[in-house]
Every structure is written in C-alpha cells, then in structure tokens.
C-alpha cells in the first residue's frame, strides 16, 4: 500500500500498541469463572435476537440450551425451527398466550406467567443445561404477573455455572441490580417510521 | 385467580384493548416490502450476537445467510461451529487479522479490509442469499480502512430484497443515514468491572 507514509504507519503502530497494552491488562485482571445473569432490555430491536445468538455460541461449544417464552405463543417460531437442527440440545417452551394486549384477560396472563416460571425452574434443575433464555420475562414482571422478589431470589440461588439471559423492555431495577451484565438496546432509527412493514426473516 | 377484583380485571382489559388498537393501526399502515439495511452499534454487548440471531431467523424460514468478518480471525468461532449445522445455507468468511491493536500494521489492516469487502460484494451477487452479515465493518470504516462513501453506495445499490446487517461500535453518520434500522447497544452494567473474566459461551 504505497499511499501510507512511514510516519502514518508508525503513528498507527504506536496507537495500537497502547491500545493492546490496555486490552491485555484488562484481560489479565479478570479471573473469576461463573455463570452470568444477563439482561437485554430497552426499546430497541435485538433483545431476544441477541439471546438466540448466545444460544448459538453455547451450542457451538457443545452445550445445551433451554428457552422459555413468557409472552410469545407458537406463532413466532423461525428461530425455533432453526434451532431444531440441534435436536435435544435445545429445549424450547413457548408458554405465552400472545402479547398481553391480544388477550385482555389478567387472570389468564398471570396463570400463563406462572406456568412459564414453573417450566423455567424445572429447566434450571437440569444439570446439563449451559444457558437458559427467559424470553420476555421482563414483560411478565412489568405487569406484576410474577413477583420480582421471587424471580430474583430463585435466579440468585441457581447452579453457579449456569448462564441465564432475561429479555424484554422495562427491566425492573431489582433485576438489573442482581444482574452481571445488562445491555440496553436503544432505538436509533426504525423502518416502521418510513412505512415499511414487518419483514420476514427480520421481524418474525 | 380469586385475588383479582372484577374492577382490576376490567381496568386491565380496557388498557389492553387500547394497546391493541394502537398496535393494530401501526401494523395496518405499513405496506412496503424490502430488504433492510440494519446497523448494530454502541459500546454494549450483543451487536454481533443479535446479527447471528437474525441469521437463525432467516435460516428458520429456509433462507441462506452470508457472513463476512472484517476484524475477527478464525479464533472466534463458536457461532461458526454451530451454524455449520446448516451446511451450505451458511457461507462464512473470517477475513480479519485479529483486532487492529493486535496487528499494529496499517497497510496489512487496509489490505485485509479490502479483501473482506471484495468477498462481501461477491456474496451480494448471490441471488439466493437472504441475509448478509458484515461483522465489525464499522471498525474498518472507523479507522478508514475502507471509504464509507464507497461502502454506502454499494450497499444502496444491492438487490432490493437482500437484508444486510452491519455491526461494530462507532457507526459512521453516513451509514446511519442510509440505514433502515439502527440499534444502539448500550452498556448498562458489565461483569468485567466486578473482576469476572470472559466466559466461555458468552464472550467467545
């Protein structure tokens, strides 16, 4: 690349040397091994999708993944169809009754959330499980379908090497407090605003 | 559920009816079908992971996915190992030389980015492709390894039904302007701060 001057190349090298030193030091000081409690929240896209991406990572390491969907019913299943390729290394339970504004029945929503939570506890007892995805649990907590105190207590008492991802908008402060890693997916720009409809492969 | 009063149930129903009306109206007014240009940026986790989650969605619909990694080399491969389950419906190219602070060689970084971009253009010409993931392209753009004008022009001229996801921190304003959907992954809390090291299945 003849258009890079020696000075430019040297500046780049010096900057990247400094960057590498910082990076190496950061990695060296981390030593604890543990399963993480991860929360994906915020109004943007990618909360559940990133959780399914983590599932791929665990599956790539030969691990087993459990999924409990608290809100979504069976209609939303492209990821589920794809993960079926991994056979019994993925255990998937869609326990929702659809979005709550579809049901308009509080008692039914509470009962569905309780069934989903029972299923989550059952999966947590599986010692082969490497990752448990509690999809849209934040929605169930937000509407007080489940008490956040109970959920946080049970999650905190889980097997120490089990990773758990909780997704959904409006994560409760108590859950954020208990979590190891919290990512807020923020909406910067959305095609819906430009009149573009939900796209197959992206939205569903 | 005997502890829900009729008034409470009615209030819930009214709120959810209103919510459903808004939701239905929103869906009804979107009509355009097109491939989306999606950007995952921000300092938080989940940018690449959510892109791989979208890959699952496209694969679940029977589609084909291309991945070009601009920065990461072969060392980072758990998702790749997992996606190998889909055979030739996933075409994966790790074209990077590792993070730039590992190489400290500007000419080499520029050459690697150019090779990766050539591969991306090659994949874009595959009419069977439903989704193209350009992983960490934002990093290559940020360090001016590739001109953003060229990248945006080529992406804008792609086949209209091809979805593209670009990941990486510090997305350039020109790319954000061109995108249909931009999500900023914000770091709320990170276990590294508590001395916990990178965890298998989560970080790599």
């Amino acid at each position: 690349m003849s258009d890079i001057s020696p000075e430019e190349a040297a500046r780049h090298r010096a900057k990247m040397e400094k960057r590498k030193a910082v990076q190496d030091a950061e990695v060296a000081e981390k030593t604890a091994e543990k399963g993480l409690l991860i929360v994906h929240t915020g109004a943007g896209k990618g909360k559940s999708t990133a959780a399914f991406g983590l599932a791929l990572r665990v599956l790539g390491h030969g691990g087993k993944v459990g999924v409990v969907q608290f809100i979504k019913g069976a209609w939303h299943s492209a990821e589920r169809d794809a993960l079926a390729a991994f056979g019994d290394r993925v255990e998937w339970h869609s326990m929702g009754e659809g979005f709550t504004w579809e049901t308009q029945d509080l008692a039914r929503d509470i009962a569905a959330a309780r069934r989903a939570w029972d299923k989550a506890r059952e999966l947590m007892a599986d010692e082969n499980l490497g990752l448990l995805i509690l999809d849209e649990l934040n929605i169930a907590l937000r509407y007080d379908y489940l008490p956040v105190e109970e959920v946080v207590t049970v999650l905190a008492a889980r097997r120490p090497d089990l990773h758990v991802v909780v997704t959904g908008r409006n994560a409760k402060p108590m859950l954020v407090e208990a979590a190891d890693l919290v990512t807020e997916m923020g909406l910067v720009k959305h095609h819906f605003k430009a009149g573009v409809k939900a796209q197959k492969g992206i939205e569903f």
Side-chain angles (χ1 to χ4, degrees), chain A:
Chain A
M1 309 300 285
S2 57
D3 56 344
I4 302 167
S5 69
E7 293 73 23
E8 201 181 347
R11 266 198 312 276
H12 181 80
R13 200 175 308 115
K15 196 165 76 179
M16 290 300 160
E17 270 169 8
K18 204 175 289 176
R19 185 77 184 76
K20 178 166 162 55
V22 170
Q23 188 77 6
D24 287 351
E26 278 182 6
V27 170
E29 75 189 15
K30 321 300 175 195
T31 51
E33 290 262 15
K34 70 181 286 257
L36 302 177
L37 176 55
I38 299 171
V39 176
H40 293 170
T41 192
K45 308 285 295 179
K47 298 181 288 291
S48 300
T49 310
F52 298 129
L54 283 176
L56 272 182
R57 213 170 264 184
V58 169
L59 290 164
H61 285 297
K64 181 177 173 181
V65 174
V67 180
V68 178
Q69 294 196 292
F70 279 75
I71 303 296
K72 285 168 189 158
W75 62 276
H76 199 147
S77 61
E79 296 93 340
R80 183 177 186 165
D81 291 346
L83 289 173
F86 299 93
D88 59 10
R89 288 207 290 135
V90 177
E91 203 174 314
W92 187 300
H93 301 274
S94 295
M95 309 291 288
E97 305 267 4
F99 284 109
T100 56
W101 51 85
E102 297 285 349
T103 63
Q104 304 165 15
D105 181 334
L106 181 56
R108 200 174 86 154
D109 287 346
I110 289 175
R114 178 56 61 184
R115 280 196 303 274
W117 179 238
D118 289 345
K119 180 57 75 178
R121 297 186 67 154
E122 191 187 312
L123 285 171
M124 270 186 255
D126 176 353
E127 60 183 21
N128 293 315
L129 205 71
L131 170 68
L132 177 60
I133 296 173
L134 302 176
D135 190 38
E136 308 276 23
L137 172 54
N138 285 336
I139 310 293
L141 293 171
R142 178 193 184 186
Y143 287 112
D144 295 318
Y145 297 161
L146 290 169
V148 64
E149 298 77 9
E150 178 188 344
V151 167
V152 168
T153 303
V154 170
L155 290 178
R158 76 190 186 281
R159 178 160 52 78
D161 58 345
L162 175 64
H163 300 301
V164 175
V165 187
V166 177
T167 78
R169 292 184 185 209
N170 301 101
K172 291 241 173 177
M174 186 182 284
L175 179 66
V176 168
E177 188 53 44
D180 300 293
L181 174 59
V182 179
T183 301
E184 168 111 8
M185 275 70 172
L187 186 62
V188 177
K189 191 174 176 183
H190 200 296
H191 53 289
F192 279 14
K193 292 198 176 123
V196 176
K197 74 174 189 179
Q199 299 295 309
K200 182 168 139 180
I202 302 296
E203 318 284 342
F204 58 93

